[in-house]
Amino acid sequence: MFRYRRKLDMGLKEAEEKFKAKLEEKGYKVVLEFTPSDVVKAKLGIEMEPYRILYVCNPKKFYEMTSVEYEIGSFAPCPVLLYEKDGEVYISINTAEDVVEIIKDALEDVRSVIEEL
């Protein structure tokens, strides 16, 4: 399912700091951060291991992509998952074709809302 997933030998906070530093060396920046595990706890009262989504963008590359396909913004910035599972820390990225089957029902729900506007 994952195009690339890597188990890391460090804690979540250290992994996030190192990842951000390396991104900046390549002209990328985390433009949005989201912690779904906090939302699950707040809304459902369910504890889960830390799960972060870091939205990564390179402004120059984003501009170039919009020159080819203007509505590419739903895929960019690129979401990077940083999470703990069974006490291990992972970082991963997905591709659209990898996840479409899993998220198709949610996509259809959102599409139907858009159609109702």
Side-chain angles (χ1 to χ4, degrees), residues 8 10 12-35 52-57 80 82 91:
L8 304 173
M10 63 186 81
L12 194 71
K13 185 172 176 62
E14 180 184 0
E16 185 173 337
E17 290 170 0
K18 286 185 175 186
F19 178 67
K20 288 177 178 178
K22 290 287 186 186
L23 278 175
E24 287 193 27
E25 291 174 11
K26 298 187 178 284
Y28 287 82
K29 184 168 182 70
V30 174
V31 295
L32 180 64
E33 302 177 31
F34 178 55
T35 308
R52 304 255 304 136
I53 304 174
L54 307 175
Y55 293 91
V56 175
C57 184
V80 176
L82 185 60
I91 191 166

Side-chain angles (χ1 to χ4, degrees), residues 51-69:
Y51 194 106
R52 304 255 304 136
I53 304 174
L54 307 175
Y55 293 91
V56 175
C57 184
N58 177 311
K60 181 176 186 271
K61 290 191 181 202
F62 178 80
Y63 177 75
E64 291 168 355
M65 289 186 298
T66 59
S67 297
V68 175
E69 173 53 61

Side-chain angles (χ1 to χ4, degrees), residues 94-106:
N94 296 317
T95 61
E97 62 269 9
D98 291 335
V99 298
V100 166
E101 187 62 31
I102 295 169
I103 65 170
K104 75 178 184 178
D105 288 342

